[in-house]
Amino acid sequence: MTETALRLTELSHGGGCGCKIAPAVLNEMLARMPAAKPFANLLVGTETADDAAVWRLNDQQALIATTDFFMPIVDDPFDFGRIAATNALSDVYAMGGTPIMALAIVGMPINVLPVETIGRILEGGASVCAEAGIPVAGGHSIDSPEPIYGLVALGLAHPDVIKRNRDARDGDVLILGKPLGVGILGSAMKKGLLDAEGYAQMIATTTRLNTVGPTLAALPGVHALTDVTGFGLLGHLLELCRGAGLGATVTAGALPVMPAAIPFAKQGIGPGAIGRNLASCGDAVQFDAGVEAWQRSLTADAQTSGGLLVACDAGSVDRVLACFRAGGFVDAAVIGRMHAGPARVQVDA
């Protein structure tokens, strides 16, 4: 891990997807928006809290459009760029699409950060786009008091394979592709407690592209996909529940977690977003008495560039896990199930 002379994380009030506005506040803000007019070709809009907007181009192609940006979660500028770009492209993969192009979103304190440091951030993002096989074809930049970087990401998919939150079904098995704990490790790093191994675990997961998304979406038994980011596992699972009108049960002991995050979680170290996420869930989440406090924190930990959450029928579980394994997602695990009932999540020990 390398650092600039001035730590990037010292220049921002929050980091990564932990910067996201709390779900309850966001819902209140969006409620004030006027109702959108119906458009026949708008396959996915704002109605189900999906990861991206989708516009039907023709019978064979749909355009996926999304944007994602945030403030530094790490101090290394190249790693910050890589994480932000990986996170932004994830929304395209989560809809079952393949990225085709990106535009950079850049806000930097020009009189504070050296031009070389800003250049390294852009290089990091471009390196991830190159890995995804797409260009950074343009963008926009401003002089900002806090460093901000991200992408507008565009992708394509067949209209029939687009995966919406509302499409999860009663009895679907829930599978999570990446381990939890990113926000907790980021908080430990800011406190100077994270060693090289813990940092390596965090970088490995946050810079792994969710390229398995289109393969998963093409499986007949896969009904819904989303990625787990700033609202934590519980927040994004509740989006599936509300979209589909179903409940869900998750087993805390089955959740994949980065080993380095566990001791910090047990010490109560984590981002402020954990409390905000839990408060936003309210009584829509119930914890079994056997779920320990540190496990509760992990379920609400703000993930940056987190894993894909899959809802599939029981007969497709082996194929879904095989797809994840083939893509290098060795921590992918069955974590729960969707079921009939109110849009709530029960967390069992």
Short mmCIF file of all heavy atoms in Angstrom, two decimals, residues 112 118 164 199 346:
data_model
loop_
_atom_site.label_atom_id
_atom_site.label_comp_id
_atom_site.label_asym_id
_atom_site.label_seq_id
_atom_site.Cartn_x
_atom_site.Cartn_y
_atom_site.Cartn_z
N VAL A 112 -5.24 21.67 -3.78
CA VAL A 112 -4.80 20.85 -2.66
C VAL A 112 -4.06 19.61 -3.14
O VAL A 112 -2.97 19.28 -2.64
CB VAL A 112 -6.00 20.44 -1.78
CG1 VAL A 112 -5.55 19.52 -0.65
CG2 VAL A 112 -6.69 21.68 -1.23
N ILE A 118 -3.98 13.25 -8.99
CA ILE A 118 -5.25 13.17 -9.72
C ILE A 118 -5.09 12.28 -10.95
O ILE A 118 -5.97 11.47 -11.27
CB ILE A 118 -5.73 14.58 -10.11
CG1 ILE A 118 -5.97 15.42 -8.85
CG2 ILE A 118 -7.00 14.50 -10.95
CD1 ILE A 118 -6.25 16.88 -9.11
N ARG A 164 -34.65 -7.60 -12.96
CA ARG A 164 -35.20 -6.54 -12.11
C ARG A 164 -35.36 -7.04 -10.68
O ARG A 164 -35.55 -8.22 -10.43
CB ARG A 164 -36.56 -6.09 -12.64
CG ARG A 164 -36.56 -5.65 -14.09
CD ARG A 164 -37.99 -5.52 -14.58
NE ARG A 164 -38.08 -5.08 -15.97
CZ ARG A 164 -37.98 -5.90 -17.02
NH1 ARG A 164 -37.77 -7.20 -16.83
NH2 ARG A 164 -38.07 -5.43 -18.24
N TYR A 199 -5.52 -5.02 4.13
CA TYR A 199 -5.66 -4.11 2.99
C TYR A 199 -5.74 -4.90 1.69
O TYR A 199 -6.56 -4.60 0.81
CB TYR A 199 -4.48 -3.14 2.94
CG TYR A 199 -4.60 -2.08 1.87
CD1 TYR A 199 -5.38 -0.94 2.06
CD2 TYR A 199 -3.92 -2.21 0.66
CE1 TYR A 199 -5.49 0.03 1.08
CE2 TYR A 199 -4.02 -1.23 -0.33
CZ TYR A 199 -4.79 -0.12 -0.11
OH TYR A 199 -4.90 0.84 -1.09
N GLN A 346 -35.87 -11.52 7.90
CA GLN A 346 -35.59 -12.17 9.17
C GLN A 346 -34.15 -12.67 9.13
O GLN A 346 -33.76 -13.38 8.21
CB GLN A 346 -36.54 -13.35 9.39
CG GLN A 346 -36.20 -14.23 10.57
CD GLN A 346 -36.39 -13.55 11.91
OE1 GLN A 346 -37.30 -12.71 12.07
NE2 GLN A 346 -35.55 -13.85 12.88
#
